[in-house]
Amino acid sequence: MLEEFVTEKVNNDILVPYTKLYKKYIGIYKFHPSSSGLRALFITNKENEEYFHMQVVLRFLQQLYITYLDEDGIPNIFHCRQQIANFQKSKSGNKLYCFTCDIQDAFGSIIQKKLYDIIVTYCNQLEKYLAVRKVIVTKPNKKKLITAKILSEKLKSMKLSKFASLSREKPKLFKTENITIRIFKLIFRQKVKFNNQLYSIKCGVPQGMMLSPILADIYYQYMCKEIFSEYMNSEHGILYRYVDDIIYITDSEYHARKFFEIIKSGIPSYNVKFNPNKIKTNLFVNEPIIITFLKKITIKL
């Protein structure tokens, strides 16, 4: 199974054998069970000296996301449930149409250049230097973790958890350009190892890498704002994305049918296909139906 997976990726030029002397790599393939069978994940190499710098990039990308892509913050189930409930309440008595769908191979389908261009567009709007404060996270019965907080007049701050506190150390200055260069390397110079052979990853980001979730959030939220702008928080409907899962609810049959045509065809400009087996809707059903989203949110229609 593993060899078949790698062979398929090589044949599609997603993995390219890497023969240079530089042997540093991100991680190795491991298979994990998933609802759709086996999913190939990367087990990331963890290097202590790199950890804080990775945390800086992680917080930078997260603050970039909440500043330019979604002021409500990183997607979470609580906020999704709240938005759905509010919309249903506002449309009480109206017939509602609901869709849930799943982006197929979401991490592996990301077009690297498009992702990087999106990030650079926002980076170009920031200051030349950014101040970074260390944040110490101390959870009960666990080791202390060091993370970061970016101080910028142009980036929104993220709230610290109840287990986190700012370090007494003075903030360090990071050049925005250097953070961008590090992001470039993390996107374009990824390598994985299989049977002692290194491969360069030419499409997507490795699921399992620390930064992959926020990179995917940036890519797909940007896509949603471009492709689904008329469906997001409009008078007639709401659209919410959680990683690779999307839910759309509307009281407009016209918009419902338009949305269905998009997810049925996919979005080639973003290399996105929606898993046809996971598209759920009441558009073609006349009797009451219950649709579940993320296994935790139930919508009665």
Side-chain angles (χ1 to χ4, degrees):
M1 180 70 74
L2 179 56
E3 291 184 1
E4 291 174 1
F5 175 83
V6 174
T7 300
E8 179 188 351
K9 295 289 186 182
V10 170
N11 290 340
N12 291 323
D13 294 325
I14 294 172
L15 291 179
V16 177
Y18 186 82
T19 56
K20 293 184 180 180
L21 294 177
Y22 181 67
K23 296 296 183 182
K24 189 175 181 180
Y25 59 94
I26 287 180
I28 58 175
Y29 279 117
K30 293 288 183 182
F31 271 107
H32 289 259
S34 73
S35 58
S36 56
L38 290 178
R39 175 174 291 176
L41 300 180
F42 295 104
I43 306 303
T44 307
N45 285 338
K46 294 182 179 178
E47 300 182 22
N48 292 332
E49 65 271 18
E50 279 290 304
Y51 183 79
F52 179 67
H53 290 284
M54 290 286 279
Q55 284 291 322
V56 171
V57 175
L58 175 63
R59 299 306 173 207
F60 173 79
L61 291 172
Q62 289 175 334
Q63 289 181 231
L64 208 68
Y65 179 91
I66 64 174
T67 301
Y68 295 108
L69 289 167
D70 192 345
E71 61 183 16
D72 291 326
I74 308 298
N76 64 78
I77 293 174
F78 173 79
H79 185 248
C80 177
R81 182 184 284 116
Q82 192 176 48
Q83 277 203 326
I84 291 171
N86 290 342
F87 182 76
Q88 285 184 299
K89 186 177 180 180
S90 71
K91 298 295 180 178
S92 179
N94 292 15
K95 178 176 175 58
L96 298 180
Y97 303 93
C98 178
F99 294 85
T100 61
C101 52
D102 172 83
I103 299 171
Q104 200 164 286
D105 189 18
F107 289 89
S109 298
I110 290 172
I111 301 171
Q112 293 175 348
K113 185 179 184 305
K114 186 180 283 287
L115 169 62
Y116 181 70
D117 288 346
I118 292 167
I119 293 171
V120 168
T121 298
Y122 298 131
C123 289
N124 288 340
Q125 301 177 42
L126 302 177
E127 305 96 327
K128 188 175 181 179
Y129 288 91
L130 299 169
V132 177
R133 287 286 301 270
K134 278 189 178 181
V135 175
I136 301 170
V137 181
T138 309
K139 292 186 178 180
N141 303 321
K142 290 189 177 181
K143 293 192 301 183
K144 289 184 179 180
L145 297 175
I146 304 296
T147 181
K149 181 177 183 178
I150 312 297
L151 306 177
S152 165
E153 292 182 357
K154 298 183 179 181
L155 287 177
K156 291 183 178 179
S157 295
M158 297 183 68
K159 291 182 180 179
L160 296 179
S161 75
K162 63 180 180 180
F163 301 110
S165 60
L166 292 172
S167 167
R168 293 182 179 180
E169 294 182 26
K170 290 183 178 180
K172 293 183 179 180
L173 285 181
F174 279 70
K175 201 172 183 180
T176 304
E177 182 183 3
N178 290 341
I179 296 178
T180 308
I181 290 171
R182 184 173 286 269
I183 293 170
F184 175 91
K185 292 178 180 178
L186 287 166
I187 293 174
F188 292 104
R189 297 183 183 175
Q190 307 167 84
K191 288 174 283 296
V192 293
K193 192 175 185 181
F194 171 68
N195 282 353
N196 295 318
Q197 170 66 57
L198 285 180
Y199 295 89
S200 295
I201 303 172
K202 297 301 181 184
C203 184
V205 296
Q207 188 172 355
M209 186 175 72
M210 181 194 298
L211 300 180
S212 293
I214 188 60
L215 290 173
D217 275 335
I218 289 171
Y219 185 79
Y220 290 116
Q221 189 66 9
Y222 189 91
M223 177 196 78
C224 285
K225 288 173 75 73
E226 180 184 348
I227 305 298
F228 296 126
S229 59
E230 67 176 293
Y231 305 94
M232 298 177 72
N233 299 318
S234 69
E235 178 187 349
H236 294 290
I238 60 164
L239 182 144
Y240 198 89
R241 179 196 57 81
Y242 184 85
V243 191
D244 56 351
D245 292 291
I246 293 174
I247 183 168
Y248 175 57
I249 305 178
T250 180
D251 64 349
S252 164
E253 184 177 351
Y254 169 76
H255 284 94
R257 292 189 179 279
K258 277 184 66 178
F259 183 82
F260 179 68
E261 289 303 316
I262 293 175
I263 61 175
K264 189 171 65 172
S265 303
I267 307 171
S269 59
Y270 283 85
N271 196 32
V272 164
K273 294 180 181 178
F274 294 94
N275 189 334
N277 298 321
K278 291 189 176 182
I279 296 175
K280 306 295 181 185
T281 181
N282 67 326
L283 179 60
F284 309 106
V285 178
N286 292 321
E287 62 268 12
I289 186 175
I290 295 176
I291 293 178
T292 302
F293 184 57
L294 301 174
K295 298 180 180 179
K296 295 183 178 181
I297 300 174
T298 301
I299 303 103
K300 296 180 180 179
L301 300 156

